[in-house]
Amino acid sequence: MTTNTTKQRCPWCGTDPLYMAYHDQVWGRPEHDDLSLFEKLCLDGQQAGLSWITILRKQDSYRKAYDNFDPEKIVQYDDRRIAELLADPGIIRNRLKVASIIRNARGFLGFRERGESFSEFLWSHVDHRPRQNQWQSLQEVPVTTSEAEAMSKALKKQGFNFVGPTIVYAFMQACGMVNDHLVTCHAHEPCRAMAERY
């Protein structure tokens, strides 16, 4: 995967090629697929207390460890499987974080059992239309918003955890529910244009 290093980007991605590719191709692009949103929410929870690049580097290992984030399989994990996960050097070996993905899979399947769309539930918190911000500097970008706080409460009510308001806002940024690319960033305008389709 080649990444143009001369483009102007949000400063947070630095010069790491993996991070730049994530910034250019994923972060801020509207995501509406239920399973993709489930995976991203779980991974953002794993980030708690760590940097996102740490989780990004382990993303493939997480997919392998958690059956490609298939919630039907995850909810079947027993004590032996949990012990295997806690011994897996490819993921964050924290008992609470391992348990959170299993718990979140149960919450996700609750939507499926009720015939509800997980994506519709999440996007309803921004009225199904990406918020367009006009930040000039990283210092202006909030760490959470009232919408993230509402989504956090709603997710907890549905049985999810590791979904505090700060984690949820990072998730909203990544999934394009808000466009927090700086206006000077080359990705700001493409993300704004994608949002116009909704």
Side-chain angles (χ1 to χ4, degrees):
M1 183 184 298
T2 57
T3 302
N4 186 326
T5 57
T6 61
K7 290 180 178 178
Q8 190 161 356
R9 294 178 172 83
C10 301
W12 55 259
C13 67
T15 58
D16 183 295
L18 180 65
Y19 220 2
M20 288 193 294
Y22 171 76
H23 168 278
D24 290 0
Q25 299 164 25
V26 179
W27 199 80
R29 272 73 179 164
E31 177 61 71
H32 291 268
D33 179 75
D34 278 9
L35 288 173
S36 295
L37 290 165
F38 168 69
E39 175 183 338
K40 186 66 177 72
L41 186 63
C42 287
L43 288 174
D44 272 324
Q46 301 297 293
Q47 178 190 352
L50 303 167
S51 64
W52 173 243
I53 188 62
T54 300
I55 305 302
L56 187 60
R57 288 177 179 143
K58 294 177 178 288
Q59 186 170 23
D60 288 340
S61 296
Y62 266 97
R63 286 173 175 162
K64 183 177 178 182
Y66 285 95
D67 292 293
N68 208 31
F69 285 92
D70 181 339
E72 299 276 3
K73 293 180 179 178
I74 293 171
V75 294
Q76 301 298 323
Y77 289 177
D78 55 15
D79 289 343
R80 189 178 78 170
R81 184 75 186 96
I82 291 170
E84 290 173 353
L85 290 167
L86 290 170
D88 187 339
I91 66 171
I92 304 301
R93 292 176 285 182
N94 175 296
R95 186 173 293 277
L96 292 176
K97 289 184 177 182
V98 168
S100 78
I101 292 181
I102 300 170
R103 180 171 172 171
N104 290 350
R106 291 192 196 104
F108 176 87
L109 290 177
F111 285 91
R112 185 175 286 178
E113 288 160 7
R114 294 188 299 272
E116 298 173 7
S117 165
F118 188 54
S119 175
E120 289 288 315
F121 164 78
L122 295 170
W123 277 89
S124 70
H125 291 88
V126 290
D127 299 321
H128 304 280
R129 190 169 180 82
R131 299 281 188 262
Q132 299 301 311
N133 291 319
Q134 300 289 323
W135 311 124
Q136 301 285 337
S137 69
L138 282 184
Q139 290 70 33
E140 294 177 76
V141 182
V143 295
T144 190
T145 62
S146 59
E147 291 144 325
E149 289 169 7
M151 187 187 294
S152 171
K153 288 179 183 177
L155 283 163
K156 289 175 182 177
K157 189 175 180 180
Q158 297 297 329
F160 289 76
N161 71 350
F162 278 89
V163 288
T166 302
I167 288 172
V168 166
Y169 192 65
F171 167 76
M172 292 172 71
Q173 291 173 310
C175 295
M177 294 177 190
V178 293
N179 181 1
D180 274 355
H181 283 286
L182 303 185
V183 292
T184 53
C185 174
H186 77 89
H188 179 88
E189 180 56 26
C191 285
R192 187 203 62 76
M194 290 178 77
E196 290 297 315
R197 300 174 195 165
Y198 299 99

